[in-house]
Amino acid sequence: MTITLQVNGVPRTVDVDPRMSLLDLLRERLGLIGAKKGCDHGQCGACTVLIDGRRANACLALAVAVDGREITTVEGLATDGQLHPLQSAFMEHDAFQCGYCTPGQLCSAAGMLGEPGPSAVTEDLLDDPDLTPEEISERMSGNLCRCGAYVGIVTAIGEVAR
């Protein structure tokens, strides 16, 4: 099948097998290796990208299902040679150690910052709460860090959210 999509602002037309995941398309066919294959079951978040601005696990999305959509990977977060504020904050607050989960953490955080409304830890479900450390931790709970850099990750995201 031939699909057309925007990847990091660049139009792409690609022939894909209907069984190919978005993650495999990005890594193997387009050479964008930022998103990582962690668990390949959607449980770790290492493959998180933005699809039309919303975070998604690329390992669970079929490439054919994103035909006509806009995909942003960690490689597309920076603009005009300037790091995204989250990328700068991650460096400033030591929000990574081995770096394997970092691309997924960054894409997830970028998507999360645009998601209003309550979370599972919000007391008032009609509220759009401030992004406290508890709120950030809950909203980022789908992204695992095996090195345990959570303190830096939450601090970095909180700084950008303010």
Side-chain angles (χ1 to χ4, degrees):
M1 272 185 87
T2 301
I3 64 169
T4 302
L5 57 160
Q6 286 272 111
V7 181
N8 298 330
V10 177
R12 300 291 194 112
T13 300
V14 189
D15 290 325
V16 297
D17 182 301
R19 301 167 293 181
M20 178 179 266
S21 72
L22 173 58
L23 179 61
D24 288 340
L25 170 66
L26 294 169
R27 291 181 60 78
E28 296 172 17
R29 301 290 297 286
L30 301 181
L32 297 169
I33 58 171
K36 302 294 189 260
K37 188 175 279 198
C39 67
D40 216 18
H41 289 82
Q43 297 174 337
C44 72
C47 66
T48 305
V49 297
L50 301 174
I51 301 175
D52 293 335
R54 295 185 54 97
R55 51 195 172 152
N57 291 325
C59 72
L60 297 181
L62 290 174
V64 295
V66 297
D67 188 22
R69 315 263 310 263
E70 183 178 333
I71 311 302
T72 304
T73 67
V74 69
E75 293 93 342
L77 290 179
T79 9
D80 299 325
Q82 295 295 313
L83 292 178
H84 186 282
L86 283 165
Q87 292 170 310
S88 296
F90 266 57
M91 290 190 333
E92 182 181 329
H93 294 285
D94 242 358
F96 54 90
Q97 288 180 29
C98 79
Y100 196 83
C101 73
T102 305
Q105 297 276 1
L106 286 163
C107 283
S108 188
M112 180 207 63
L113 291 174
E115 296 170 0
S119 77
V121 298
T122 307
E123 287 190 31
D124 181 358
L125 295 180
L126 299 175
D127 194 12
D128 186 9
D130 291 333
L131 289 177
T132 63
E134 294 77 23
E135 284 286 340
I136 292 169
S137 292
E138 170 61 25
R139 293 165 191 252
M140 292 294 292
S141 65
N143 291 79
L144 304 179
C145 172
R146 293 185 178 150
C147 298
Y150 295 114
V151 172
I153 292 167
V154 171
T155 302
I157 295 169
E159 177 181 291
V160 173
R162 286 189 285 284

